[in-house]
Amino acid sequence: MSRATSEPTKVAIIGAGDIFPAYAQGLAAFGNLQLVAVADARASASEARAAEFGIVAQTPAELLAGDAEIIINLTPPDAHLAVGRQVLQAGKHLYTEKPLAASFDDGQRLMEAAAASGRRIGCAPDTFLGGAGQAARALVDSGRLGRIVAGQASMMERGPDDWHPNPAFFYRPGAGPLMDMGVYYLTQLVQLLGPVRRVSGMAHTSWAPRTVPRGPRQGQSIAVETPTHVVAGLEFEAGAFVTLSTSFDVWKHKSSHIELYGEQGSVVLPDPNQFGGALSVCETDGEWQDLAPRAFTGRLRGLGVAEMAAALRAGQPHRASGELALHVLEIMDATLRAAAKASPVSLSTRCERPAPLPLGFEKQIACEVAA
Ligand SMILES: NC(=O)c1ccc[n+]([C@@H]2O[C@H](COP(=O)([O-])OP(=O)(O)OC[C@H]3O[C@@H](n4cnc5c(N)ncnc54)[C@H](O)[C@@H]3O)[C@@H](O)[C@H]2O)c1
């Protein structure tokens, strides 16, 4: 495609559900993107979103034949492979919500489709590109903490039953607490520590079927087809051992989101499902000190799309890549397999750490919400 580099990249969205408004609002923060259309299997949903955000509603077939360069897939995980393949086969670049696909096998098939079409895959989460993740990355790379030897992370909550309009998919393969939420923690850990070599797992389901505990659907029953409490033991290639607890079965706890322990000190990271937040750092057994996040701290869903668009224009690799997402998907899939057979699983994929964002990157993507 030959276009002036100053012209925004046209993007379109398939999937007009719960997360759509966050994308429509987030994408508008980036001057290098233009959201042009939305499609959904339910025409009423895409028409309502199109009217709300002043864009065009199309059928999925019309959208695939349109002039968007990157198509963003916001369908549920069990539709990621089918919809993603259609996007790639239509000659478009794909940016998909997480996880890359509902299983590692499906993720591999999606990557094969990208290779066959010569198009790129980008994948959420992109929160590791936010100010907190990038501050943590600069800290780890500075060597101030020494080699990271261990860590622990936890994402534990009572599940999305009470707030999501359609919570059933959270309890099907491709979701559950590990694939739906642990994916943010694992992507952050891999960008900081590099690839994982081997995983152990423990998983169980506290309630099947599950009774919605509160909210508008209180008392309703949800079928549970994937474990709702999963603990992963992660052995990183670089040597660190990290445990990750994920749960939809816990009302409250006091654990940190992510803590990393280095030879010379420790760091506590904020919620990796957000772009910003302060970090706490200490050297050896000294006092904790706050470390401010870098740029990109707001509600900036779509930062990964903006970065991918800039990378496409520059002919460079993008950071929230299919390779990173496939490795993270294998970690999650392997954890569930390790739990099922009560024995560790070695991984077959690896990925390079995505390069840190350069300082001042917000100017490249014309983002005014910089800090
Ligand atoms: N809801 C959130 O807060 C949230 C946050 C972060 C990421 N995500 C991710 O975003 C994705 C979508 O989540 P959601 O909460 O918006 O789901 P949702 O169920 O609210 O919406 C999904 C939409 O996709 C449409 N759809 C399903 N299959 C389709 C197909 N084959 N072709 C076209 N349209 C199809 C549905 O009609 C529906 O409108 C998931 O991967 C989820 O993990 C959601």
Side-chain angles (χ1 to χ4, degrees), residues 14-20 39-42 45 60 73-77 79-80 83 97-99 163-166 169-170 180 184 301:
I14 300 183
D18 188 68
I19 197 60
F20 179 90
D40 195 288
R42 296 176 299 130
N73 181 7
L74 302 185
T75 63
H80 285 185
V83 172
E97 249 304 334
K98 50 75 185 170
W163 60 266
H164 195 279
N166 170 36
F169 81 75
F170 290 97
D180 183 63
Y184 292 99
R301 271 191 205 269

Side-chain angles (χ1 to χ4, degrees), residues 288-301:
W288 289 105
Q289 294 179 334
D290 280 355
L291 177 68
R294 295 191 163 197
F296 304 116
T297 57
R299 294 166 61 85
L300 290 170
R301 271 191 205 269

Side-chain angles (χ1 to χ4, degrees), residues 265-347:
S266 303
V267 58
V268 180
L269 278 77
D271 184 355
N273 187 16
Q274 306 295 330
F275 290 88
L279 296 82
S280 292
V281 184
C282 78
E283 290 182 15
T284 62
D285 57 354
E287 294 297 317
W288 289 105
Q289 294 179 334
D290 280 355
L291 177 68
R294 295 191 163 197
F296 304 116
T297 57
R299 294 166 61 85
L300 290 170
R301 271 191 205 269
L303 175 56
V305 184
E307 194 278 334
M308 182 175 171
L312 276 163
R313 289 288 164 87
Q316 291 171 351
H318 58 289
R319 290 172 170 84
S321 68
E323 288 74 16
L324 171 62
L326 184 69
H327 182 60
V328 169
L329 179 58
E330 188 185 17
I331 296 171
M332 300 187 291
D333 192 287
T335 299
L336 294 172
R337 280 186 281 129
K341 65 176 193 160
S343 128
V345 172
S346 295
L347 300 193

Side-chain angles (χ1 to χ4, degrees), residues 99-149:
L100 178 63
S103 68
F104 178 51
D105 281 352
D106 283 2
Q108 286 179 302
R109 284 191 245 159
L110 202 50
M111 293 296 281
E112 286 162 13
S117 68
R119 293 295 178 265
R120 294 194 191 193
I121 295 181
C123 187
D126 53 0
T127 40
F128 73 91
L129 297 171
Q134 294 298 304
R137 175 64 178 269
L139 176 73
V140 168
D141 289 1
S142 75
R144 202 174 135 196
L145 303 181
R147 186 173 57 93
I148 303 296
V149 295

Side-chain angles (χ1 to χ4, degrees), residues 65-106:
D67 62 354
E69 219 175 300
I70 301 173
I71 293 183
I72 303 170
N73 181 7
L74 302 185
T75 63
D78 47 13
H80 285 185
L81 173 61
V83 172
R85 262 187 181 154
Q86 288 168 4
V87 168
L88 294 163
Q89 285 166 0
K92 309 292 188 179
H93 300 293
L94 168 69
Y95 185 92
T96 186
E97 249 304 334
K98 50 75 185 170
L100 178 63
S103 68
F104 178 51
D105 281 352
D106 283 2

